[in-house]
Amino acid sequence: MTGSDFLIIGGGIAGLSAASRLARHGKVVLLEAEDALGYHSSGRSVTFSHFGIGNAAVRGLTAHSRSFFETPPERFSPTPLCRTQASLYAATEEMLGELDLMHREISHFTDQTHLADASEIRARCPVLKTGPDALVSAIVDPSGLRLDADALLQSFAREVRAKGSEILTGRRILSIDRAGTDWRVGTEAGDEYSAPILVNAAGAWADHVAGLAHVRPLGLEPMRRTIIAFDPPEGTHIADWPFVHTVRGDFYMLPESGRLLVSPVDEVPSDPCDAYPEEYDIALAASRVEEYTNLPLRRIAHSWAGLRSFVADRVPTAGFAPDAPGFFWLAGQGGYGLQTAPAMAEIVEALVTGGDWPSKITGLGVTRKEIEPGRLFAANS
Ligand SMILES: Cc1cc2nc3c(=O)[nH]c(=O)nc-3n(C[C@H](O)[C@H](O)[C@H](O)COP(=O)(O)OP(=O)(O)OC[C@H]3O[C@@H](n4cnc5c(N)ncnc54)[C@H](O)[C@@H]3O)c2cc1C
């Protein structure tokens, strides 16, 4: 039996960023089922940080996290964690109401946006279809950030290890019991670990992990999202293209290492699993390329899918379970787990160690009540 101060289940961005904060207060042991960190959702994202997604709480957490990506602590990462890449939220005539609403919501968090007409849309991304039956207007946010997910995951892991804590891969948790004031977990391979505080950062499996501990589930819904990658026509310079997103949320496209990534912005309910792209969603992505762009799509170079897991109000959740002492939830990061990770990790540190709720986060309009799991049970009971 290996004892520690904090056990964390899950080696994605949530578990690793929380571990780096908790390692300042005691010994952390982080247990990941797969042989590699970030194998599931955290390694399948398109790694953008922007205000065009989520609700007000998510935007507040996103705003708070920006400074970490832009100016990380000294020696945190040998390479930059992000680079600036504009985002463009585009609308057809019939989406103008949604564009207006999104613009007002985004404007609470950035004053850098402006509205672009069809000619500016074409200037920024020449392959987009514009005109009366196509895109007519867009919000341009020049301050979008493209994150480096691998640098983030590895840097958090390095920081945890440097503080004398442990990250163990290939440790799938199959049992969780309460023994006195400790949580005791057992892995598939038969090892056992214990700590008074157990952080459940198991992504799409977080409700399943709670079930092992006989803790009431959050009602987490994993949703599959599909990405296709293809080559642009030869000689097309795509590197400076923005992250293009329709305000209705049925298409996004962004450049990546000389290729274009496109998603039909699908949300297909799924059991927690090693997600793979379905033919139907790949075809949908291709049809959206045809609908919104003039790009010829002759061959899909590759495709992938990952799970984005939400609770009912789509606000990421952190806090002790009301029904189980020492059992801490860190789940429901949805489609914004990377861009909100630094803020969520700071919240975890405050709540686990009994510190004050970070005042800067309150300043951005995000309250403890909105984040803690109790709100979900109150709403359900
Ligand atoms: C296609 C796609 C695009 C996305 N784009 C963005 C984006 O642009 N920006 C953004 O911020 N977010 C984006 N996201 C969302 C983001 O990827 C997630 O919110 C985030 O990765 C969730 O992190 P996590 O650590 O909670 O989950 P995960 O990365 O899934 O980590 C959970 C870990 O827990 C482990 N685990 C589960 N059960 C057990 C067990 N019993 N024992 C031990 N370990 C266990 C799993 O193996 C897994 O590694 C995207 C997601 C997808 C799928």
Side-chain angles (χ1 to χ4, degrees):
M1 174 76 67
T2 307
S4 61
D5 299 300
F6 311 106
L7 275 178
I8 298 182
I9 301 181
I13 191 69
L16 287 164
S17 54
S20 83
R21 284 278 178 168
L22 292 178
R24 301 172 185 185
H25 301 272
K27 175 153 181 175
V28 175
V29 172
L30 182 148
L31 302 163
E32 164 55 47
E34 305 292 348
D35 291 334
L37 300 172
Y39 175 81
H40 288 288
S41 301
S42 301
R44 303 177 191 207
S45 122
V46 296
T47 71
F48 214 83
S49 171
H50 65 121
F51 293 113
I53 188 169
N55 43 36
V58 169
R59 291 192 174 103
L61 296 167
T62 301
H64 185 70
S65 299
R66 275 185 73 99
S67 60
F68 183 91
F69 300 130
E70 290 175 313
T71 345
E74 224 180 310
R75 289 192 289 276
F76 179 72
S77 169
T79 54
L81 297 178
C82 66
R83 65 184 163 79
T84 309
Q85 185 179 355
S87 10
L88 189 145
Y89 314 106
T92 58
E93 194 81 41
E94 62 157 13
M95 298 178 198
L96 288 177
E98 284 143 283
L99 180 103
D100 185 49
L101 184 65
M102 183 186 272
H103 198 196
R104 274 186 278 133
E105 286 173 358
I106 293 180
S107 299
H108 294 302
F109 297 95
T110 170
D111 55 9
Q112 298 192 40
T113 59
H114 69 269
L115 286 178
D117 61 10
S119 70
E120 185 179 344
I121 295 176
R122 279 195 309 276
R124 289 185 176 270
C125 186
V127 296
L128 290 176
K129 286 185 183 168
T130 55
D133 296 327
L135 302 171
V136 291
S137 184
I139 306 161
V140 177
D141 180 1
S143 69
L145 294 179
R146 193 72 198 273
L147 307 176
D148 183 333
D150 192 53
L152 273 168
L153 292 166
Q154 296 309 329
S155 300
F156 281 127
R158 212 171 19 250
E159 203 170 68
V160 173
R161 291 183 177 119
K163 293 198 167 80
S165 285
E166 283 185 78
I167 294 176
L168 304 171
T169 54
R171 307 299 208 283
R172 186 175 306 279
I173 304 307
L174 292 188
S175 67
I176 307 180
D177 301 296
R178 188 97 176 130
T181 55
D182 277 358
W183 289 99
R184 210 184 260 188
V185 307
T187 70
E188 201 168 28
D191 342 338
E192 290 192 315
Y193 302 86
S194 72
I197 291 176
L198 175 69
V199 178
N200 177 7
W205 290 266
D207 269 353
H208 170 77
V209 162
L212 295 176
H214 305 289
V215 171
R216 185 174 169 180
L218 295 183
L220 205 60
E221 283 191 275
M223 303 274 194
R224 193 178 63 241
R225 165 112 350 142
T226 308
I227 309 289
I228 61 169
F230 59 96
D231 292 323
E234 220 170 299
T236 316
H237 295 289
I238 62 170
D240 295 336
W241 286 4
F243 176 33
V244 176
H245 207 301
T246 57
V247 291
R248 181 149 297 171
D250 59 358
F251 167 78
Y252 72 59
M253 177 172 79
L254 69 167
E256 158 87 4
S257 311
R259 281 195 167 143
L260 288 165
L261 307 183
V262 164
S263 175
V265 195
D266 46 332
E267 283 196 350
V268 184
S270 166
D271 287 332
C273 66
D274 192 352
Y276 64 91
E278 297 277 353
E279 286 305 321
Y280 174 83
D281 299 311
I282 293 174
L284 192 60
S287 78
R288 297 277 157 79
V289 173
E290 200 180 320
E291 184 178 347
Y292 288 110
T293 80
N294 295 311
L295 283 164
L297 204 179
R298 295 199 182 88
R299 194 180 75 85
I300 293 171
H302 73 109
S303 58
W304 76 85
L307 299 178
R308 301 156 79 250
S309 300
F310 298 91
V311 294
D313 62 10
R314 297 205 161 205
V315 176
T317 297
F320 283 106
D323 56 334
F327 187 98
F328 192 93
W329 284 101
L330 178 56
Q333 289 82 352
Y336 17 80
L338 291 179
Q339 68 184 54
T340 57
M344 290 301 288
E346 216 176 305
I347 288 173
V348 171
E349 181 183 23
L351 296 180
V352 167
T353 62
D356 291 335
W357 181 257
S359 58
K360 282 189 182 160
I361 293 182
T362 311
L364 288 160
V366 187
T367 62
R368 181 172 176 161
K369 216 171 153 191
E370 273 175 293
I371 299 292
E372 284 188 322
R375 76 190 193 276
L376 298 167
F377 303 128
N380 292 343
S381 60

